[in-house]
Amino acid sequence: MTAAEEKSPQTGPRWTSLRLRLVVVFALVALTAAVAASGIAYWLNREAVLTRTQDAALNNFRQEMQNRAATLPLRPTQPELQAAATQMAAGGSPGYSVLLVDKREPGKPIAGTSDIDALTLDDVPRELQDAVNRRQKVTDANEFPYHLYWVRISPKGKPPSLVAGTKVIGGGPTGYMLTSLEQERDDLNSLAWSLAIATALALLGSALLAQAAATTVLKPVQRLGDAARRLGEGQLDTRLRVSGTDELAELSRTFNKTAESLEKKVADMSAREESSRRFVADMSHELRTPLTAITAVAEVLEDEADNLDPMIAPAVHLVVSETRRLNDLVENLMEVTRFDAGTARLVLDDVDVADQVTACIDARAWLDAVDLDAERGIMARLDPRRLDVILANLIGNALKHGGSPVRVSVRPVDHELLIEVRDHGPGIPEDVLPHVFDRFYKASASRPRSEGSGLGLSIAMENAHIHGGDITAANSPEGGAVFVLRLPLDVSRPADGEGQEGDGLREGEECEDQ
């Protein structure tokens, strides 16, 4: 797998990812729907079950009161009430209890209960007794025909029950009935558990469905992201396979069209750039032959300048100076074309950095203008000629714009070589600082004929980069500009070729404007 095809590493779960949000939204929607549906189903079933059981028990009790309690004597005895209550309870469902009370006699009322479950007046809510005796409704009771009142109760430690009471119209005992709702409660609990399980299954199903939907939706998006990443890494022939007619397919088509247009424009720009580079290289080579002859003649004229007419001597000196400047420009252009074409090569050697810096300064007669702070014995494996080019540009630039003395310090820091060049001039203007390494950039537009060509610092930066290093420029708080060169102490790139003819700056050349 190539580097362009590798996916970016994940640092951990992304809690704001689109996939997670889709799953959460699906789960919340499913949970809300399931809970609402389960709640409505439970409420409807609860009312249906309780109403059906309640109506059956109340109708049975009312019918028994009419058929049996109404046939009792006007003044029934305890055995008669007991027998009637037992018969009434026998006609009901399991857990059905009946209490018959005759309160027409003063003193303790006569009561008779069924044998199934002893029902006493203490088990009957006081509100229900008052409603039956007064024949009026209360808050917790509901009225049925024949003045039948009922209420559902849930005694502590006992199953829920239905309690009803009524009086025989026209005189007779008062009857109370209690029937257990335990079976209905168990049925409703089973229903609740079933609905809870169904809700959980619905939630799980929605999560799986959301995962499948997210995969379906996000897979094309992921492919689009990978394609965009490869396109950004320079693989301009990247295209997406398009299928379907939905919005994602339309997005893929748009991406393919954009990539195709970008590839075409980049190819056109590369062709124009290559043509321009070839033109500069060809022009530089063509200029070298006549420049060599002109330089030789200029040097002869310079040697004879003192013997020429005083009116002609200044012109001779100007010709010689401009010829050298033109020759330096041609050499710099050839160096730039090598970097642009990728043909520049390193010739590595183990050098003592202090000796190398001293040799650079001595070769250009800068010993009196440079304050060097470098300990001998700092060894580095690099290209000594290219290091000389970098130092010549940085130190010469500092002398030109900051004046002497220029301070040069050398020190190793964490497998890196740091060379700092500091001047004492006015510094670099803030608007110029970001452009000091740009090609042909001049700090002052009012000086178009400055001695430099605007390529020196750019060439220095390119030589630093080919070593795997860098150069930074800044202004010192104490005043003046500071250039810091960082190079690896051991350049891992092997020496794969000798330096080409004319590669780099020549000894004694002038450096560029800031």
Side-chain angles (χ1 to χ4, degrees):
M1 180 179 293
T2 63
E5 294 173 341
E6 291 179 357
K7 296 182 180 178
S8 59
Q10 300 295 329
T11 58
R14 294 180 297 172
W15 299 110
T16 57
S17 66
L18 183 57
R19 181 186 299 275
L20 181 60
R21 282 184 284 173
L22 282 174
V23 172
V24 170
V25 169
F26 267 77
L28 289 177
V29 171
L31 181 62
T32 302
V35 169
S38 298
I40 293 173
Y42 178 81
W43 182 79
L44 292 176
N45 280 276
R46 179 179 182 276
E47 291 301 315
V49 170
L50 293 178
T51 300
R52 181 175 65 251
T53 302
Q54 175 180 288
D55 290 347
L58 293 177
N59 289 334
N60 179 269
F61 178 61
R62 184 176 59 248
Q63 190 66 35
E64 292 294 327
M65 285 292 293
Q66 291 176 350
N67 294 340
R68 299 188 185 278
T71 60
L72 290 172
L74 185 61
R75 298 179 184 278
T77 62
Q78 178 71 27
E80 291 175 336
L81 290 173
Q82 183 71 42
T86 301
Q87 293 174 357
M88 292 172 64
S93 61
Y96 191 87
S97 303
V98 177
L99 172 65
L100 297 178
V101 181
D102 185 3
K103 291 188 176 183
R104 290 179 299 172
E105 293 294 332
K108 183 178 180 180
I110 299 174
T113 61
S114 66
D115 294 333
I116 298 176
D117 189 10
L119 175 63
T120 65
L121 286 175
D122 293 336
D123 298 325
V124 181
R126 175 55 59 182
E127 310 90 70
L128 183 61
Q129 296 183 40
D130 294 341
V132 171
N133 293 330
R134 298 173 185 174
R135 294 193 175 186
Q136 62 182 12
K137 294 171 62 177
V138 294
T139 303
D140 296 329
N142 295 273
E143 185 178 8
F144 275 71
Y146 307 104
H147 307 291
L148 179 62
Y149 300 89
W150 62 270
V151 65
R152 287 195 292 265
I153 61 174
S154 298
K156 186 176 181 180
K158 295 182 180 181
S161 304
L162 173 67
V163 182
T166 187
K167 269 188 177 183
V168 177
I169 300 176
T174 301
Y176 296 100
M177 176 272 296
L178 181 144
T179 183
S180 175
L181 299 176
E182 184 176 8
Q183 182 62 45
E184 286 71 19
R185 182 194 62 183
D186 294 341
D187 292 342
L188 291 174
N189 287 341
S190 299
L191 176 63
W193 275 107
S194 300
L195 293 175
I197 293 174
T199 300
L201 292 176
L203 183 60
L204 178 61
S206 68
L208 295 176
L209 182 61
Q211 179 69 17
T215 301
T216 303
V217 173
L218 296 181
K219 193 173 182 180
V221 176
Q222 184 179 6
R223 287 200 299 264
L224 180 61
D226 293 339
R229 188 179 304 110
R230 292 196 299 271
L231 190 67
E233 292 171 351
Q235 300 183 27
L236 301 181
D237 58 343
T238 301
R239 298 292 184 274
L240 289 172
R241 184 176 58 189
V242 181
S243 61
T245 58
D246 56 8
E247 289 81 358
L248 290 175
E250 185 61 28
L251 180 60
S252 298
R253 292 189 185 91
T254 302
F255 174 85
N256 288 341
K257 293 178 181 178
T258 303
E260 182 178 358
S261 176
L262 179 62
E263 183 180 18
K264 183 178 179 182
K265 289 182 179 180
V266 170
D268 294 341
M269 291 176 62
S270 299
R272 288 195 295 269
E273 182 180 358
E274 178 62 27
S275 176
S276 175
R277 186 185 304 118
R278 188 165 52 250
F279 170 77
V280 173
D282 293 344
M283 180 190 68
S284 301
H285 280 287
E286 292 296 329
L287 287 175
R288 290 188 69 183
T289 300
L291 272 177
T292 302
I294 294 175
T295 301
V297 173
E299 290 175 352
V300 172
L301 290 176
E302 185 180 24
D303 293 338
E304 299 294 331
D306 295 337
N307 300 325
L308 297 177
D309 190 309
M311 298 295 294
I312 301 176
V316 170
H317 287 298
L318 178 61
V319 169
V320 171
S321 174
E322 292 300 316
T323 300
R324 289 175 177 172
R325 183 167 176 268
L326 181 59
N327 195 46
D328 293 340
L329 177 61
V330 171
E331 294 293 339
N332 286 342
L333 287 175
M334 293 184 66
E335 178 76 352
V336 168
T337 58
R338 291 190 188 98
F339 283 117
D340 289 344
T343 59
R345 297 291 182 267
L346 290 175
V347 181
L348 299 182
D349 193 9
D350 294 324
V351 298
D352 187 308
V353 179
D355 291 344
Q356 186 69 27
V357 177
T358 302
C360 174
I361 297 173
D362 184 51
R364 292 159 179 83
W366 291 339
L367 287 176
D368 295 336
V370 177
D371 181 10
L372 178 61
D373 179 14
E375 295 183 1
R376 294 180 58 84
I378 302 176
M379 303 301 295
R381 183 168 178 78
L382 41 75
D383 188 328
R385 186 185 60 80
R386 293 189 182 277
L387 177 61
D388 182 79
V389 171
I390 299 173
L391 294 173
N393 278 282
L394 295 181
I395 299 174
N397 193 70
L399 289 171
K400 182 187 301 183
H401 298 284
S404 60
V406 170
R407 179 175 177 80
V408 179
S409 60
V410 180
R411 64 183 186 277
V413 178
D414 295 335
H415 307 290
E416 277 190 338
L417 174 65
L418 265 66
I419 301 178
E420 182 180 282
V421 179
R422 180 189 301 266
D423 63 42
H424 298 84
I428 306 172
E430 292 299 327
D431 59 330
V432 175
L433 196 59
H435 306 286
V436 292
F437 297 106
D438 293 350
R439 295 177 182 177
F440 300 107
Y441 185 82
K442 299 294 185 70
S444 175
S446 62
R447 294 164 45 205
R449 296 193 73 255
S450 60
E451 296 181 0
S453 64
L455 288 174
L457 291 180
S458 174
I459 291 175
M461 178 66 82
E462 294 289 352
N463 279 292
H465 285 169
I466 200 173
H467 280 87
D470 194 17
I471 305 175
T472 58
N475 288 315
S476 172
E478 294 80 11
V482 180
F483 287 81
V484 179
L485 168 65
R486 288 179 172 84
L487 297 177
L489 284 173
D490 185 1
V491 179
S492 59
R493 189 176 304 170
D496 53 0
E498 297 295 331
Q500 300 186 25
E501 182 183 356
D503 198 17
L505 298 177
R506 297 182 306 157
E507 179 179 331
E509 75 176 299
E510 296 293 342
C511 301
E512 309 314 88
D513 293 334
Q514 287 183 348

